[in-house]
Amino acid sequence: MPRKMMVGRVVSTKMAKTAVVEVENTKQHPLYKKIIRSTAKYIVHDEEQVCKEGDMVRIIECRPLSRRKRWNVLDVLRSSEA
């Protein structure tokens, strides 16, 4: 079974070797056809600590690394200029 991949924005890098990534998802309401945005935050393992706040990163599913960490940073797509 292939591992899931998502693209999101780094919200926090205050923990050691860990980043919080916010992923935005859109879907259409079945009856009213309005586009609904929803966001989810994922605790992500960042071994080399390459992420900075505001970066766009691709994350990939992995085995459980801690109580809430089940994702790894695959690569940084767009670096923040801040």
Side-chain angles (χ1 to χ4, degrees):
M1 189 162 103
R3 295 189 285 177
K4 296 177 190 170
M5 281 193 206
M6 288 193 247
V7 175
R9 186 175 54 88
V10 178
V11 178
S12 171
T13 56
K14 292 183 173 82
M15 297 174 273
K17 297 186 181 181
T18 304
V20 180
V21 176
E22 186 176 60
V23 176
E24 187 175 290
N25 199 358
T26 60
K27 67 177 189 177
Q28 191 178 42
H29 191 278
L31 178 62
Y32 301 115
K33 310 300 184 206
K34 181 178 178 177
I35 303 298
I36 300 168
R37 282 187 344 188
S38 63
T39 59
K41 289 183 182 178
Y42 295 94
I43 310 299
V44 178
H45 186 64
D46 183 16
E47 182 67 37
E48 286 85 33
Q49 297 180 324
V50 294
C51 295
K52 298 183 296 296
E53 286 189 30
D55 289 356
M56 290 296 287
V57 294
R58 180 177 288 125
I59 60 176
I60 189 165
E61 194 176 32
C62 67
R63 65 181 176 84
L65 299 169
S66 69
R67 183 168 68 100
R68 294 180 61 203
K69 250 200 276 194
R70 274 106 175 97
W71 296 84
N72 267 330
V73 172
L74 194 59
D75 55 348
V76 177
L77 301 175
R78 189 173 67 229
S79 183
S80 65
E81 306 304 321

